[in-house]
């Protein structure tokens, strides 16, 4: 065989067969000249963050899947079934998200900008309103978030260009829709008489001679052909329209040559995390003058919440509350250091965990201190409980209560001191009290003070938000830039002034309401800023804050620098009837592989077959030319002499 091939090649070269040489050597030349595809263009690896997945009191929330291996499309594509839908934040809306889910998308990846501070405020507010709705229902398909980079942005733009064109569907979908278009065209050209001839027997429920509407006839005709009519697909005006045929050829060609991306996650299916602990930290400042002293409890939950745990930094909710609590520990520890300013109140500080999961840390802490302990400050004379939540923005402060404080109580005195300090020292602040009864029918409590109110402890929550349903309390958009340092410092001063006037009874002693106890220099703005920077530098979702992590150890060390008897308090879910269940696989690596559609393989096979056929034909022609010899007259024989030489 090799000798025959060598003979053919030798004959081809001797015959100087230019077309055959062109056919044989051109592919090799193209393969050598063509530049290789860069690895960055063929595949891209990036980090993705999965939507929340947890169970709270037996109710599942968030996405229930983590595995992804499907082709990418943008939301502009006509067909999203079993596709990974890419959406940028600027183009995201709840209607588009629901459309992807209704069309049985294989996954959803939402691309976030690198600089969240540069996102327009209307886009941030819109997404904050959508996040609770996304988590309110159980989602089967995996939903991921990714921070854009240049390569990911290029992938999105290429996918969008393919999705918005008419050739964005796969080869099977193009063939299916083309067949449905032809069926729909034939159905539209059928008249009632032709349909009556085809369906001689009228449908049940109709009398003889009575025929249904043309719409029913159209649907039954399509159903009889084994297809379902596809909406928003318009057939050509004429089956023999050359322009339409040329258009379909262009669509198929574009489909075959378009670039696609296969999105694949590296992780496995998510599973429940057993024995996860929610940790809280408490510390105290003991009052002077006896054992039965009233206790003021100051509480703030440290964990953050958003649609994706690894993106939940919680600057305002509730990094601002923890910052104020830590600054109050510093201020009152200095006052309690000296005997002249050592007040007759116990101050109990509690940084609670699991605040975003129905305040699980506070709930178990109350149970342990009120039901399972004989000696606790919470069992003694509790004056009131002050919960701090979202204090880093705005010019409003609202005291949320479940029951308005009665006049003559210490909690009523604190309310009046807040009003007085706001009116005389901070006139730009609009202060009000918001009364909301506890709704035990709801699965999740509105504010943290309701946990204490259920146990009949006087409590309230101070926040710049008027409603607990505000999206700012649970959003990945709650980043460091949303907390105003000047506002946070002002609110810290206001709270410290009101507490001091209550603890030291300054109003009854005749201290003027416009006389500040703490100057601006005493409230360290740099300290507040550094604490906020530390809190927002890491995600603080309850699923990510472990008991052995650096966050809790740093928090405990900071509290131990100013307070006494600082200790952690751990909460573990009950194995038999868990109130909360967390799941893993919240952060993964996703690979985007450049692929061609299935029809590209068919087109490539046709081209290879055509090339081999042309090469084979050229070889056969070359062999025929090599075996042919030109006719020559015998030498030495006279003209007209017979072959035998006899005249």
């Amino acid at each position: 065989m090799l000798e025959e091939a060598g003979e053919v090649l030798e004959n081809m070269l001797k015959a100087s067969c230019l077309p055959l040489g062109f056919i044989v050597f051109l592919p090799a030349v193209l393969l050598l000249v063509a530049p290789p595809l860069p690895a960055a263009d063929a595949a891209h690896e990036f980090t993705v963050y999965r939507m929340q997945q947890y169970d709270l009191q037996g109710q599942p929330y968030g996405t229930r899947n983590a595995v992804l291996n499907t082709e990418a499309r943008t939301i502009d594509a006509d067909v999203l079934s079993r596709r990974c839908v890419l959406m940028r934040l600027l183009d995201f809306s709840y209607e588009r998200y629901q459309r992807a889910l209704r069309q049985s998308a294989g996954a959803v990846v939402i691309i976030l900008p690198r600089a969240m501070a540069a996102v327009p405020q209307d886009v941030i507010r819109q997404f904050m309103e959508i996040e609770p709705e996304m988590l309110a229902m159980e989602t089967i398909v995996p939903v991921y978030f990714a921070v854009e980079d240049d390569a990911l942005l290029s992938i999105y733009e290429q996918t969008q260009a393919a999705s918005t064109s008419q050739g964005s569907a796969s080869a099977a979908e193009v063939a299916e829709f083309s067949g449905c278009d032809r069926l729909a065209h034939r159905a539209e050209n059928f008249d009632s008489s032709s349909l009556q001839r085809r369906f001689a027997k009228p449908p049940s429920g109709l009398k003889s001679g009575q025929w249904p509407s043309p719409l029913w006839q159209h649907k039954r005709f399509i159903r009889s052909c084994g297809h379902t009519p596809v909406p928003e697909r318009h057939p050509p005006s004429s089956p023999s329209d050359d322009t339409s045929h040329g258009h379909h050829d262009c669509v198929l060609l574009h489909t075959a040559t378009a670039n696609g991306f296969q999105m694949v996650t590296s992780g496995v299916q998510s599973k429940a995390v057993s024995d996860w602990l929610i940790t809280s930290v408490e510390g105290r400042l003991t009052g002077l003058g006896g054992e039965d002293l009233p206790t003021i409890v100051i509480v703030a939950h440290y964990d953050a919440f958003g649609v994706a745990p690894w993106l939940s930094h919680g600057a305002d909710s509730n990094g601002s509350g923890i910052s104020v609590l830590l600054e109050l520990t510093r201020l009152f520890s200095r006052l309690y250091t000296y005997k002249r300013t050592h007040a007759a109140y116990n101050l109990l500080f509690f940084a609670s965990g699991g605040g975003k999961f129905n305040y699980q840390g506070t709930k178990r802490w109350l149970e342990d201190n009120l039901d399972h302990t004989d000696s606790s400050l919470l069992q003694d004379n509790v004056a009131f409980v002050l919960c701090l939540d979202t204090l880093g923005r705005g010019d409003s402060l609202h005291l949320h209560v479940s029951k308005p404080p009665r006049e003559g109580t210490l909690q009523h005195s604190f309310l009046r001191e807040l009003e007085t300090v706001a009116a005389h020292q901070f006139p730009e602040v609009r202060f009000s009290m918001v009364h909301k009864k506890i709704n035990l029918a709801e699965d999740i409590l509105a504010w943290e003070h309701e946990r204490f109110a259920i146990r009949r402890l006087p409590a309230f929550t101070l926040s710049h938000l008027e409603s607990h349903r505000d999206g700012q309390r649970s959003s990945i958009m709650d980043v460091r830039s949303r907390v105003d340092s000047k506002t946070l410092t002002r609110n810290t001063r206001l709270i410290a002034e009101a507490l001091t006037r209550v603890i030291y009874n300054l109003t009854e002693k005749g201290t003027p309401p416009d006389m500040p106890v703490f100057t601006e220099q005493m409230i360290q703005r740099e300290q507040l800023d550094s604490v906020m920077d530390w809190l927002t530098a890491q995600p603080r979702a309850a699923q990510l804050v472990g008991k052995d992590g650096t966050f809790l150890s740093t928090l405990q060390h900071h509290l131990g620098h100013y307070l006494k008897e600082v200790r952690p308090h751990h909460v573990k879910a009950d194995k038999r009837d868990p109130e909360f269940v967390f799941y893993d696989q919240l952060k993964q690596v996703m690979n985007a592989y450049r692929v061609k559609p299935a029809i590209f393989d068919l087109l490539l096979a046709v081209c290879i077959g055509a090339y081999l056929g042309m090469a084979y034909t050229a070889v056969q022609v070359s062999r025929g030319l090599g075996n042919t010899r030109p006719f020559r007259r015998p030498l030495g024989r006279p003209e007209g002499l017979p072959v035998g030489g006899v005249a």
Side-chain angles (χ1 to χ4, degrees):
M1 182 182 296
L2 294 177
E3 295 177 357
E4 184 179 357
E7 182 181 354
V8 171
L9 182 60
E10 182 180 358
N11 293 334
M12 179 192 69
L13 295 176
K14 289 180 178 180
S16 300
C17 184
L18 181 61
L20 182 58
F22 182 79
I23 293 174
V24 172
F25 292 110
L26 179 61
V29 173
L30 291 178
L31 290 176
L32 293 175
V33 174
L37 187 64
D41 293 339
H44 177 58
E45 181 180 284
F46 56 97
T47 304
V48 290
Y49 310 96
R50 195 162 66 96
M51 180 194 279
Q52 290 272 5
Q53 181 182 3
Y54 63 92
D55 300 339
L56 189 60
Q57 298 178 353
Q59 180 68 28
Y61 293 92
T63 180
R64 316 307 292 182
N65 211 330
V67 178
L68 169 60
N69 188 352
T70 184
E71 191 177 353
R73 291 286 187 272
T74 63
I75 194 64
D76 300 319
D78 294 330
V79 178
L80 302 177
S81 177
R82 300 184 299 274
R83 299 291 186 269
C84 176
V85 181
L86 304 180
M87 283 187 283
R88 295 182 65 189
L89 178 64
L90 297 178
D91 304 325
F92 180 83
S93 67
Y94 189 68
E95 292 74 17
R96 290 187 165 191
Y97 176 73
Q98 285 294 315
R99 174 174 171 258
L101 298 183
R102 284 194 303 267
Q103 293 195 21
S104 302
V108 176
V109 176
I110 301 173
I111 303 175
L112 304 175
R114 278 171 286 195
M116 298 296 293
V119 179
Q121 291 299 315
D122 57 339
V123 176
I124 292 179
R125 285 192 297 268
Q126 178 185 4
F127 190 79
M128 283 183 172
E129 296 173 357
I130 294 175
E131 282 187 76
E133 299 181 17
M134 295 174 65
L135 292 173
M137 59 180 180
E138 183 182 8
T139 306
I140 303 300
V141 303
V143 180
Y144 284 97
F145 294 83
V147 180
E148 70 177 15
D149 54 20
D150 294 338
L152 183 56
L153 189 59
S154 176
I155 291 173
Y156 175 82
E157 292 174 350
Q158 294 181 58
T159 306
Q160 185 182 40
S163 299
T164 53
S165 65
Q166 295 187 4
S168 60
S170 65
E173 294 163 347
V174 170
E176 177 184 351
F177 290 139
S178 299
C180 291
D181 287 342
R182 290 192 294 270
L183 286 174
H185 175 78
R186 290 170 55 193
E188 289 181 358
N189 286 276
F190 260 65
D191 55 9
S192 299
S193 60
S194 62
L195 283 175
Q196 291 181 19
R197 287 193 301 270
R198 179 162 185 173
F199 304 112
K201 183 179 178 180
S204 59
L206 297 178
K207 298 179 181 180
S208 179
Q210 182 181 4
W211 282 91
S213 63
L215 178 60
W216 182 92
Q217 299 170 5
H218 170 78
K219 289 182 177 179
R220 182 169 180 183
F221 170 74
I222 297 297
R223 195 180 300 113
S224 69
C225 299
H227 294 271
T228 302
V230 179
E232 300 180 4
R233 288 282 179 177
H234 304 288
S237 58
S238 172
S240 60
D241 189 1
D242 296 336
T243 305
S244 299
H245 286 294
H247 174 70
H248 283 294
D249 293 339
C250 293
V251 169
L252 291 174
L253 181 61
H254 185 278
T255 303
T257 58
N259 286 323
F261 292 93
Q262 190 79 7
M263 315 301 285
V264 182
T265 53
S266 59
V268 297
Q269 180 59 21
S270 61
K271 60 181 183 299
V273 179
S274 59
D275 299 332
W276 185 260
L277 294 178
I278 292 180
T279 304
S280 305
V281 184
E282 67 171 291
R284 66 184 64 186
L285 291 173
T286 305
L288 181 66
E291 297 181 356
D292 192 19
L293 296 177
T295 300
I296 296 177
V297 185
I298 303 175
V299 182
H301 63 273
Y302 63 78
D303 56 312
F305 188 83
V307 69
W310 276 94
L311 298 175
S312 302
H313 296 272
D316 193 15
S317 178
N318 191 32
S320 62
I322 284 290
S323 298
V324 174
L325 182 142
L326 295 179
E327 183 65 9
L328 291 177
T329 61
R330 186 186 68 84
L331 293 174
F332 283 98
S333 66
R334 295 185 61 183
L335 292 176
Y336 274 51
T337 301
Y338 305 101
K339 187 174 182 179
R340 290 182 54 190
T341 56
H342 199 156
Y345 282 90
N346 297 320
L347 297 182
L348 182 59
F349 295 88
F350 184 60
S352 62
K356 302 301 185 179
F357 292 91
N358 211 14
Y359 309 104
Q360 293 294 325
T362 302
K363 178 184 178 182
R364 193 67 59 86
W365 184 63
L366 288 173
E367 292 174 354
D368 292 346
N369 281 274
L370 298 179
D371 301 336
H372 308 297
T373 303
D374 295 333
S375 59
S376 172
L377 290 179
L378 295 179
Q379 290 180 337
D380 300 332
N381 184 13
V382 177
F384 60 84
V385 180
L386 173 62
C387 301
L388 306 174
D389 194 336
T390 53
L391 296 167
R393 289 173 59 87
D395 291 329
S396 300
L397 274 181
H398 305 281
L399 191 69
H400 297 270
V401 299
S402 302
K403 182 180 179 180
R406 291 182 291 106
E407 193 170 351
T409 60
L410 200 63
Q411 56 265 33
H412 185 268
S413 300
F414 180 68
L415 171 63
R416 291 289 173 257
E417 293 295 350
L418 282 174
E419 294 176 342
T420 301
V421 172
H424 290 83
Q425 299 186 27
F426 306 96
E428 72 277 7
V429 177
R430 300 183 298 273
F431 177 80
S432 66
M433 184 184 71
V434 179
H435 175 214
K436 177 191 172 300
K437 294 183 178 180
I438 302 176
N439 187 0
L440 297 177
E442 293 184 356
D443 296 333
I444 301 177
L445 297 177
W447 299 98
E448 191 164 10
H449 74 267
E450 295 182 355
R451 278 292 176 204
F452 296 90
I454 291 176
R455 302 304 299 261
R456 300 186 180 280
L457 295 176
F460 26 67
T461 297
L462 196 60
S463 171
H464 73 81
L465 300 177
E466 189 173 3
S467 172
H468 67 283
R469 301 185 185 276
D470 198 300
Q472 301 180 47
R473 300 186 66 207
S474 55
S475 175
I476 60 176
M477 298 297 167
D478 187 11
V479 294
R480 176 67 178 91
S481 59
R482 291 188 58 82
V483 173
D484 182 64
S485 299
K486 183 178 179 181
T487 301
L488 183 62
T489 305
R490 181 203 63 197
N491 290 339
T492 304
R493 281 191 61 198
L494 194 154
I495 296 170
E497 290 282 347
L499 277 174
T500 305
R501 297 180 72 88
V502 168
I503 291 173
Y504 295 97
N505 199 16
L506 297 183
T507 300
E508 297 295 330
K509 294 179 180 179
T511 303
D514 56 350
M515 178 180 291
V517 177
F518 301 99
T519 62
E520 295 184 5
Q521 291 74 21
M522 296 178 67
I523 307 296
Q524 297 181 359
R525 181 172 176 178
E526 294 79 9
Q527 176 80 4
L528 289 171
D529 287 342
S530 62
V531 171
M532 282 299 307
D533 294 339
W534 166 64
L535 289 170
T536 56
Q538 54 198 318
R540 301 192 319 280
Q543 304 98 313
L544 307 179
V545 181
K547 66 173 183 177
D548 299 326
T550 58
F551 174 79
L552 287 174
S553 60
T554 305
L555 178 62
Q556 187 172 347
H557 175 76
H558 191 101
L559 290 174
H561 188 69
Y562 300 108
L563 305 179
K564 305 296 183 182
E565 300 181 34
V566 175
R567 56 188 178 184
H569 185 271
H570 304 295
V571 176
K572 182 184 295 185
D574 190 355
K575 293 184 178 180
R576 293 173 298 177
D577 186 19
E579 293 185 351
F580 60 92
V581 178
F582 297 147
Y583 292 82
D584 59 2
Q585 301 298 324
L586 298 176
K587 179 182 179 181
Q588 293 194 22
V589 175
M590 181 175 292
N591 294 278
Y593 299 103
R594 185 185 296 272
V595 296
K596 290 291 185 181
I599 195 176
F600 177 78
D601 298 334
L602 179 61
L603 180 61
L604 184 60
V606 171
C607 293
I608 293 175
Y611 165 74
L612 293 178
M614 294 172 59
Y616 178 78
T617 302
V619 168
Q620 293 299 324
V621 172
S622 174
R623 291 183 62 183
L625 293 176
N627 295 331
T628 302
R629 295 289 185 268
F631 176 77
R632 296 180 180 178
R633 187 183 305 275
L635 299 177
R637 180 162 51 91
E639 186 176 355
L641 184 65
V643 177
V646 181

